[in-house]
Amino acid sequence: MKVILFAMLFIASTGCKPKTIQQDKSVAVKQEKVEKKPAAVQKDLQNYETAYFASGCFWCVEAIFESVKGVAEVHSGYSGGFEKNPTYEEVAYGRTHHAEAVEVYYDPEVISFTELVQVFFGSHDPTSLNRQGPDRGAQYRSIAFYKDKEQKNIIKKYIETLEASEVYGRPIVTQVVKFNKFYKAEDYHQDYEKRNPNNSYIRNVSIPRLNRFKENFKSYLKEESH
């Protein structure tokens, strides 16, 4: 297996801006007015594989993975805990063991799980414990989920390679966790970056983080993402 090293580190300034519950509730009211896609034009995702990652604010992570070729769809949600049907308020206040996570639907004939793992590690700081940028708490921890032994080995070996090469200069604290359950987040969180291009957080935090990722992963991007 050929492992590609991306020797770049997203520092704290590229992290997600802290989000208050009051702010997000106001956004939710606005998002209720957004029309959903007709069922006829929604993507059929049954023929795609899924992968799951957590690396801070899911608004940022969703936008990053959606820019990657071979990725058909990305959902923001919650995973890594044991509570059933968690809400954003519960997760954001640290009342659950879940982390903000994403569900990635991808075509393995276009992009491999190994390459998705590379995207994951190259788009956030995996040495930051329970924090990405100014967002603090276990709900923002770094997690690479695996569904079988092969995926677990891919993640573990890639971490070993990164640490042996001292890519980050500090120990990687990413959790490698057996995938159990993903709970899709509330509708107003989905495609948040696309729906809210003029939001101050999106302009000042999400878009700069996305652009830095694109600069380092040009060969991984969809044509429309260049």
Side-chain angles (χ1 to χ4, degrees):
M1 180 191 307
K2 182 178 180 181
V3 177
I4 303 174
L5 294 180
F6 296 93
M8 61 91 174
L9 178 64
F10 276 68
I11 59 175
S13 61
T14 66
C16 293
K17 181 180 179 182
K19 307 184 292 296
T20 66
I21 302 302
Q22 183 176 4
Q23 288 174 334
D24 281 323
K25 283 185 177 179
S26 65
V27 173
V29 174
K30 295 179 181 179
Q31 288 300 336
E32 287 177 354
K33 300 178 181 179
V34 178
E35 294 184 1
K36 294 183 179 181
K37 295 180 181 178
V41 298
Q42 289 183 349
K43 295 178 181 177
D44 182 2
L45 302 175
Q46 294 182 355
N47 296 323
Y48 291 91
E49 295 291 334
T50 54
Y52 300 86
F53 302 98
S55 57
C57 168
F58 49 27
W59 294 347
C60 299
V61 185
E62 178 185 15
I64 287 170
F65 276 100
E66 284 190 337
S67 72
V68 175
K69 64 183 179 181
V71 173
E73 185 63 88
V74 183
H75 294 151
S76 289
Y78 318 109
S79 194
F82 53 83
E83 297 86 357
K84 295 182 179 179
N85 303 312
T87 65
Y88 178 70
E89 286 79 5
E90 291 170 339
V91 175
Y93 276 124
R95 294 172 181 168
T96 75
H97 293 81
H98 290 289
E100 290 192 10
V102 293
E103 178 180 52
V104 181
Y105 286 85
Y106 70 100
D107 182 351
E109 294 186 1
V110 179
I111 189 164
S112 67
F113 180 77
T114 298
E115 290 169 322
L116 291 178
V117 169
Q118 293 168 354
V119 168
F120 166 72
F121 280 105
S123 60
H124 79 296
D125 181 359
T127 70
S128 182
L129 181 63
N130 294 336
R131 175 179 179 177
Q132 282 300 308
D135 282 339
R136 301 184 182 185
Q139 64 269 36
Y140 300 110
R141 66 192 184 275
S142 174
I143 311 174
F145 294 95
Y146 64 89
K147 294 193 293 185
D148 53 39
K149 185 176 180 180
E150 180 181 3
Q151 290 187 349
K152 181 179 181 180
N153 289 337
I154 288 173
I155 298 168
K156 288 284 192 179
K157 288 181 180 179
Y158 194 66
I159 291 175
E160 291 174 1
T161 301
L162 290 172
E163 292 190 321
S165 301
E166 298 184 349
V167 172
Y168 298 99
R170 297 191 299 273
I172 291 174
V173 296
T174 297
Q175 296 179 349
V176 182
V177 176
K178 173 72 174 179
F179 175 72
N180 181 30
K181 178 74 174 179
F182 177 85
Y183 294 94
K184 189 175 179 181
E186 296 81 349
D187 286 344
Y188 71 93
H189 287 300
Q190 308 305 324
D191 294 320
Y192 190 89
E193 184 261 349
K194 292 180 181 178
R195 293 181 175 185
N196 300 273
N198 296 319
N199 177 277
S200 60
Y201 156 71
I202 295 298
R203 292 199 313 267
N204 298 322
V205 181
S206 181
I207 291 177
R209 177 178 174 181
L210 176 61
N211 287 339
R212 294 186 188 189
F213 164 75
K214 289 181 177 181
E215 183 63 26
N216 287 278
F217 285 79
K218 292 179 180 179
S219 64
Y220 280 40
L221 302 178
K222 297 173 180 174
E223 288 298 325
E224 63 269 24
S225 296
H226 284 279

